Amino acid sequence: MTNRSLLILPGDGIGPEVMAEVRKIIDWFGTQGIAFDVSEDLVGGAAYDAHGTPLHDDTMAKAQEVDAVLLGAVGGPKYDVLDFSVKPERGLLRLRKEMDLYANLRPAQCFDALADFSSLKKDVVAGLDIMIVRELTSGVYFGEPRGIHKEGNERVGINTQRYTESEIARVARSAFELARKRGNKVCSMEKANVMESGILWRDVVQEVHDAEYPDVELSHMYADAGAMQLTRWPKQFDVIVTDNLFGDLLSDLAAMLTGSLGMLPSASLGAPMANGRPKALYEPVHGSAPDIAGQGKANPIACILSFAMALRYSFDLGDEADKVEKAVEAVLADGLRTADLLGEEGTTPVSTAEMGDAIVAKLAAS
Ligand code: IPM
Ligand code: MG
């Protein structure tokens, strides 16, 4: 037993494959005297198949106890027919909600070796390093009332965008704190031109700024204009803070700036626990990619970089996180490419497992 506990939830689709590669990294750290107390459990469709629920109460309880949860991906066409309440995604949303993981950090960094691969021009993305902070426990994902009901002779679908001042203020603080350690700039995105919740969002972010973070440069943008600016000149941004739904959209967009969704990690952080560390769940931004599951085509880098974020934010192992990130950079510089990144001349196609092995080999050589 060590004092570093980690719960691994591989989930569905490519989740188990990419997680197997993270296991290699964890094992390698074990050989270096940095051991983790790892347990593994089910989430999403895999949990539904075993227990009839996308997240068993025992798993939820375990997640509350560990230092960090590392999740692969959830969902797949097999589960499309399920009732909404037991869909794989509900398992993930329950974890986020009950662990109160309100700040979702989604960095979009363009590795030099991949700058040519982006669908945008190289000079637009080369050297890109932005951080999207997405509110993760409220907004339209969780607002009440919600549902589908009958009005007269037609059905009506309802979801509610709802934010309290304290929910906005705490995620704004996360963004300002991060900005101070980076480029010291925050851009807040909402739709204050059409949504009252957007007006409140803008006001509260400004208030928190003026009272607590006047040293950080703050700007506001409508989220649609933000999407446009992200593709026009993404390097104008440092930290972007936005709500749950806009964050979902904008982070997929930002991911693609870097070449592939298969590259992007995320950290979802809550309030500090008794040991001073935040409650935390780490997961790749990509989904379960059922179309390529089980074929060795998946890119394990997003999941491996998510583990690197765990090293940094949950285990105070910043140097080790740097090491993992450098190892990833090095294999990319060597030209190794999983299926999502193929196409460039002079690169070498590798499988999911070969990519994991190559990253471990770089670590061992570092
Ligand atoms: C994400 C995903 C999830 C979300 C899904 C799987 C519920 O798209 O993490 O971005 O919408 O939050
Ligand atoms: Mg998403």
Side-chain angles (χ1 to χ4, degrees):
M1 292 287 275
T2 71
N3 62 353
R4 298 187 197 97
S5 55
L6 186 62
L7 172 63
I8 289 190
L9 304 173
D12 308 322
I14 60 170
E17 286 162 70
V18 296
M19 201 59 86
E21 303 314 305
V22 176
R23 282 285 194 148
K24 293 177 184 169
I25 312 271
I26 294 173
D27 291 345
W28 181 80
F29 274 113
T31 67
Q32 307 299 301
I34 300 175
F36 296 86
D37 184 6
V38 182
S39 52
E40 189 166 320
D41 210 331
L42 302 171
V43 70
Y48 178 82
D49 289 340
H51 307 299
T53 163
L55 188 73
H56 197 281
D57 288 344
D58 292 348
T59 317
M60 186 65 243
K62 250 190 253 172
Q64 297 282 19
E65 277 162 24
V66 292
D67 294 320
V69 179
L70 188 61
L71 184 140
V74 294
K78 180 180 162 195
Y79 306 105
D80 284 350
V81 294
L82 293 183
D83 184 73
F84 187 73
S85 63
V86 289
K87 279 204 193 294
E89 290 78 5
R90 305 310 302 170
L92 173 58
L93 293 174
R94 181 178 174 200
L95 282 164
R96 291 174 177 173
K97 186 70 179 172
E98 291 192 20
M99 292 171 76
D100 202 17
L101 305 171
Y102 59 87
N104 180 217
L105 280 45
R106 298 190 161 186
Q109 249 169 320
C110 185
F111 288 87
D112 284 346
L114 295 183
D116 276 323
F117 194 78
S118 174
S119 47
L120 297 190
K121 293 193 188 94
K122 185 170 180 168
D123 68 313
V124 175
V125 296
L128 180 72
D129 178 8
I130 61 181
M131 176 73 88
I132 296 188
V133 180
R134 167 189 176 190
E135 199 291 324
L136 203 61
T137 53
S138 186
V140 77
Y141 272 61
F142 297 98
E144 300 280 349
R146 65 186 298 162
I148 301 175
H149 66 255
K150 207 85 191 231
E151 260 179 39
N153 53 13
E154 66 173 348
R155 288 172 303 159
V156 183
I158 296 181
N159 288 92
T160 302
Q161 168 81 334
R162 179 179 191 275
Y163 271 105
T164 64
E165 286 186 283
S166 53
E167 285 169 342
I168 301 167
R170 64 182 184 171
V171 73
R173 284 190 189 98
S174 302
F176 289 126
E177 291 290 340
L178 272 165
R180 277 183 175 164
K181 295 186 198 129
R182 300 171 40 98
N184 214 33
K185 261 187 356 189
V186 171
C187 180
S188 170
M189 295 187 187
E190 28 53 21
K191 284 282 287 177
N193 49 346
V194 287
M195 297 164 76
E196 285 82 353
S197 60
I199 296 176
L200 184 71
W201 183 281
R202 189 175 281 225
D203 285 352
V204 172
V205 172
Q206 188 69 51
E207 286 160 19
V208 170
H209 170 269
D210 296 349
E212 301 168 40
Y213 301 92
D215 53 301
V216 180
E217 189 185 316
L218 171 66
S219 59
H220 303 274
M221 222 179 253
Y222 297 140
D224 55 344
M228 184 269 284
Q229 290 296 341
L230 264 173
T231 43
R232 192 187 68 82
W233 190 244
K235 284 186 248 180
Q236 70 188 280
F237 298 111
D238 176 27
V239 174
I240 292 171
V241 63
T242 189
D243 77 13
N244 204 344
L245 184 60
F246 294 140
D248 183 43
L249 305 179
L250 294 170
S251 62
D252 266 28
L253 192 162
M256 219 41 218
L257 300 174
T258 70
S260 167
L261 207 47
M263 295 292 301
L264 261 85
S266 84
S268 304
L269 308 178
M273 299 184 281
N275 63 10
R277 295 171 181 157
K279 279 233 165 121
L281 179 145
Y282 301 86
E283 55 177 320
V285 173
H286 65 66
S288 58
D291 52 320
I292 59 161
Q295 301 170 33
K297 287 184 180 168
N299 185 347
I301 291 180
C303 203
I304 288 171
L305 292 176
S306 298
F307 175 64
M309 290 186 90
L311 293 174
R312 178 168 291 122
Y313 293 111
S314 286
F315 298 112
D316 271 331
L317 294 169
D319 290 346
E320 284 71 13
D322 287 345
K323 252 192 201 174
V324 173
E325 287 161 2
K326 291 228 166 68
V328 167
E329 216 173 310
V331 296
L332 292 172
D334 284 352
L336 302 195
R337 300 286 187 270
T338 40
D340 54 317
L341 296 170
L342 286 181
E344 254 176 287
E345 245 173 83
T347 57
T348 313
V350 293
S351 68
T352 309
E354 285 165 340
M355 181 59 97
D357 291 340
I359 293 170
V360 171
K362 287 286 180 200
L363 276 172
S366 68

